[in-house]
Amino acid sequence: MITRGLTRITLFTALALTTALAHGAPYEWNYPAPIKTPGANDNGNVVLFDVSHGGTEGNADWVIDGAFSDFADALVAEGYTVQEYRGVDKNGDGVIQFVDDYHTPTEAAHAANEAVITYPGISHADVLVLAESNRPFTIAERDALAQFVADGNGVFFIADHYNADRNLNTWDSTEVFNGYNRSTRAKYDLGGTYGDLRNPGTAGDGWLAETFGVRFRFNAIDWKSGVSGIVDPEQGEGLTVGVDPVLMAGGATLAITDPSRAKGLVYFGPSDSPARWSHAVDSGVYFGGEAEGPYVAIAKAGAGKAAFIGDSSPIEDDSPKYRRQDNGETKHTYPGWTDAGNAAVLSVNIVDWLATPESYTAFGGSVHPAGDATPNPLASEELDDPDNGAPWREPSGGYAPWDPSTFAAGAYGAPQGIDGGDGGDGTTLTVTEALARSNGTDVTATGEITRGINDPYALEIADPANPGATLYVKLESEYRDAFSPANDPSVVGETLQVTGTRDDYMTEPSIESVTAMKLVDDSGSDSGDETACGSADSITVSTAYASSLGTPLTVVGEVIGGINDPYALELGDPSNGTSIYVKLESGQRAQYSPANNPAIVGEWLEVVGTRDEYMTHPSVESVSSLTLLSSCP
């Protein structure tokens, strides 16, 4: 793996955070941009998720701390630093401001627009993820992306079905990525910084085809059973190892125009029966089978690489962060990352491939086989826009997709968060007070656990002073062992403090997207955290299990056994069966690995480190101290 991203990210992040915190602005409720960092498994690579050109419109919430958080967290677990890219802070006020340079495509307007992709802005990264970009790229931005790839880096293009124009600006991601609108109307010959963005009418033209030898079709297809024509790993550069059929819930395919640069990974198989998406503006399915083109493809363009998928559904999760831009309503996303037909394995494989430089510059030969050109790469239906350059629905209610000042509170890019601010003042609320907060508001609330809900996926808390006031708390997977009444009935009657976002679960008021959870006593002090032995600040395994990733902690528990011998051990809480893995540094393995020292099993251990995940299980890593305890039960 390459390490060039490591030194650059440190300075870049420090400057960005300092700037954001040092200056105020109307949009500051949503700053600084999030960043997720790995622990001791840091592989030195940086993955940027772009939101400068969209990915947050309509129900889309493709951000690393929202409905793409499962994807981002999986990459962090693999050692990647994951960061959100919003643009370039040209005036140094700590906020990225969008200026409409589309309707006035002049150099002056482009210079004022900060929501842009520049080569210096992304050059510290190894992989750039473009998820449903909803605003076209300028000529300079296309050049920046091409330079990024020519430099040996990779881009992952995640599109959706044609007319997934979520902000009603007449552009969807298939058009943005291709580099032209489906329409041939003169209004798309913008000139200036954008150039001519009209449909060229030939498959080999357009920025994507010219750069990578592939284009997104304008089809719209459903096949929820999973697209099953997965190529052999030898043909697919090893990326299809462990990959099962991939869900398509209203998606697009691609067409290979140059098989020396691009090739498909996933096609419709002989047993698949793809159908027209119910809202498609044309026949939806043009040819069927392999002739429809690949659903997932990759490209080798000189030193760099690219990958493409025609639907966000198998990648997204159901934890949206933002409100809708047009009406402020709560978003609803699909738990595709964990559902049947997910693209979780494939997506991580793709990023690993994109982040790994390789010296070959094209596909061909036995080692890196060429692809297969798609017959009829441009269907006759794709030659013009059935909507004649109009959005599928006109914006209403004062919402203007090119004017962020019209975005509803709590939407990405809006001037204000929910309730005119950041959605929370840092205080702990009662259940009654939390119920009064709007959906989408970040809250910390305390209540008494009364019962399990949809066991083991949620629980109910009540306000002791107002027992009729209740909230459901949706439990993320890492919290279910310790806090689900189905798994630990003793938590019923305990007081719970939970931090998350107000929402609705099973039609009832809830707290979801939980980031922190712990048992407290009636005064709000930690309860159940204390251990009978160890340091004064030590906590139980159950409390460590429920702690957020990145939390420094000192945990005490009983050694149960070895994990991935001799690299880790399992530490347990005998009171409730909860366990956490402890990743051992090289100098700790001789004494503390059960593989090397079987006598350590059954001993009590105090571990100082950082909450993380090891082999997808909650863990303590970056361990700085291990101490055997003789006074524990």
Side-chain angles (χ1 to χ4, degrees):
M1 288 289 188
I2 52 179
T3 59
R4 62 177 179 277
L6 183 63
T7 55
R8 285 180 285 181
I9 189 69
T10 305
L11 178 59
F12 182 90
T13 304
L15 290 173
L17 289 172
T18 302
T19 303
L21 295 172
H23 300 273
Y27 293 80
E28 67 180 359
W29 69 275
N30 197 28
Y31 281 82
I35 182 171
K36 296 185 174 186
T37 56
N41 64 329
D42 192 338
N43 64 23
N45 292 328
V46 176
V47 181
L48 291 183
F49 281 69
D50 174 67
V51 291
S52 70
H53 281 67
T56 57
E57 296 80 5
N59 272 329
D61 198 81
W62 314 148
V63 293
I64 65 174
D65 53 348
F68 263 23
S69 58
D70 281 1
F71 185 13
D73 291 345
L75 295 178
V76 172
E78 294 293 316
Y80 292 95
T81 294
V82 178
Q83 182 184 9
E84 184 171 280
Y85 177 82
R86 297 180 174 183
V88 178
D89 184 12
K90 298 178 180 179
N91 61 9
D93 67 354
V95 174
I96 302 300
Q97 289 283 2
F98 169 71
V99 174
D100 183 3
D101 62 355
Y102 178 84
H103 292 97
T104 309
T106 64
E107 290 293 344
H110 182 65
N113 182 19
E114 296 182 319
V116 293
I117 294 174
T118 68
Y119 179 73
I122 63 175
S123 61
H124 65 285
D126 304 284
V127 177
L128 175 67
V129 179
L130 297 171
E132 285 202 62
S133 301
N134 221 150
R135 183 168 60 81
F137 303 126
T138 64
I139 295 170
E141 288 174 318
R142 283 174 260 158
D143 289 345
L145 292 170
Q147 184 180 357
F148 181 74
V149 172
D151 219 21
N153 303 302
V155 181
F156 189 10
F157 296 87
I158 301 172
D160 215 286
H161 59 81
Y162 176 71
N163 239 11
D165 172 18
R166 300 181 187 273
N167 65 351
L168 306 174
N169 72 348
T170 78
W171 285 89
D172 70 20
S173 55
T174 64
E175 296 168 308
V176 172
F177 295 155
N178 282 340
Y180 54 85
N181 197 275
R182 183 171 179 173
S183 174
T184 59
R185 292 188 62 184
K187 71 175 185 176
Y188 292 104
D189 183 4
L190 276 73
T193 55
Y194 284 89
D196 188 349
L197 301 181
R198 292 174 296 176
N199 189 336
T202 53
D205 289 333
W207 177 77
L208 201 71
E210 293 167 356
T211 307
F212 299 108
V214 66
R215 64 173 293 269
F216 280 100
R217 286 202 186 275
F218 296 140
N219 48 13
I221 305 173
D222 263 337
W223 185 233
K224 297 184 176 68
S225 297
V227 183
S228 66
I230 300 168
V231 304
D232 290 336
E234 293 78 7
Q235 171 67 22
E237 304 297 318
L239 298 180
T240 57
V241 173
V243 174
D244 295 322
V246 184
L247 164 82
M248 178 184 274
T253 61
L254 300 109
I256 304 298
T257 59
D258 181 353
S260 71
R261 288 188 291 170
K263 59 184 175 180
L265 299 182
V266 181
Y267 290 85
F268 291 117
S271 63
D272 295 343
S273 300
R276 173 185 181 271
W277 181 58
S278 60
H279 301 289
V281 296
D282 56 16
S283 66
V285 182
Y286 300 144
F287 305 102
E290 286 193 21
E292 196 71 23
Y295 177 31
V296 183
I298 56 173
K300 189 72 171 78
K305 301 173 179 178
F308 318 85
I309 186 170
D311 192 6
S312 60
S313 299
I315 298 176
E316 68 190 81
D317 60 65
D318 60 349
S319 61
K321 173 182 179 179
Y322 295 108
R323 294 293 189 90
R324 289 182 60 100
Q325 290 179 352
D326 52 352
N327 56 25
E329 293 181 0
T330 301
K331 297 183 179 186
H332 299 283
T333 52
Y334 178 72
W337 188 262
T338 54
D339 205 359
N342 69 73
V345 171
L346 179 59
S347 297
V348 173
N349 287 352
I350 283 173
V351 172
D352 285 342
W353 182 74
L354 293 173
T356 304
E358 296 184 87
S359 60
Y360 70 97
T361 59
F363 295 132
S366 60
V367 179
H368 303 286
D372 295 315
T374 303
N376 301 309
L378 185 69
S380 59
E381 294 181 72
E382 300 181 88
L383 292 172
D384 210 341
D385 176 17
D387 290 327
N388 198 30
W392 59 270
R393 175 173 61 80
E394 291 294 333
S396 61
Y399 169 67
W402 299 95
D403 183 1
S405 69
T406 69
F407 294 179
Y412 178 84
Q416 299 294 335
I418 301 297
D419 299 328
D422 63 1
D425 57 8
T427 60
T428 301
L429 308 175
T430 65
V431 170
T432 301
E433 291 169 333
L435 281 166
R437 296 296 177 99
S438 303
N439 280 11
T441 304
D442 293 332
V443 297
T444 297
T446 299
E448 182 180 323
I449 300 174
T450 57
R451 58 178 175 145
I453 298 294
N454 189 26
D455 290 331
Y457 300 105
L459 58 81
E460 181 183 65
I461 57 173
D463 190 334
N466 181 17
T470 61
L471 275 169
Y472 288 175
V473 177
K474 183 181 178 185
L475 299 171
E476 305 297 332
S477 58
E478 65 265 29
Y479 297 119
R480 292 173 194 155
D481 284 352
F483 293 100
S484 168
N487 293 326
D488 184 5
S490 68
V491 299
V492 175
E494 296 287 344
T495 301
L496 181 72
Q497 180 176 298
V498 56
T499 299
T501 304
R502 273 283 286 112
D503 208 325
D504 289 313
Y505 182 72
M506 299 176 64
T507 74
E508 295 295 324
S510 68
I511 297 176
E512 303 189 20
S513 303
V514 172
T515 58
M517 184 181 292
K518 63 181 178 180
L519 298 179
V520 297
D521 61 25
D522 293 338
S523 68
S525 300
D526 289 356
S527 173
D529 288 3
E530 303 85 356
T531 59
C533 56
S535 305
D537 60 348
S538 63
I539 59 176
T540 64
V541 168
S542 297
T543 302
Y545 188 106
S547 299
S548 302
L549 294 180
T551 303
L553 44 77
T554 301
V555 58
V556 169
E558 182 181 3
V559 179
I560 297 174
I563 298 294
N564 191 27
D565 291 330
Y567 300 105
L569 60 81
E570 185 174 17
L571 203 65
D573 186 337
S575 68
N576 57 21
T578 304
S579 73
I580 197 165
Y581 292 172
V582 177
K583 185 180 179 184
L584 299 170
E585 304 298 327
S586 58
Q588 300 162 348
R589 294 170 194 157
Q591 181 177 358
Y592 295 103
S593 167
N596 294 325
N597 179 19
I600 195 131
V601 175
E603 297 289 339
W604 282 73
L605 195 64
E606 180 178 85
V607 182
V608 179
T610 301
R611 178 68 167 79
D612 209 321
E613 287 191 352
Y614 183 70
M615 299 176 65
T616 74
H617 187 77
S619 69
V620 180
E621 302 191 18
S622 303
V623 173
S624 61
S625 173
L626 290 161
T627 305
L628 282 172
L629 303 173
S630 58
S631 59
C632 288

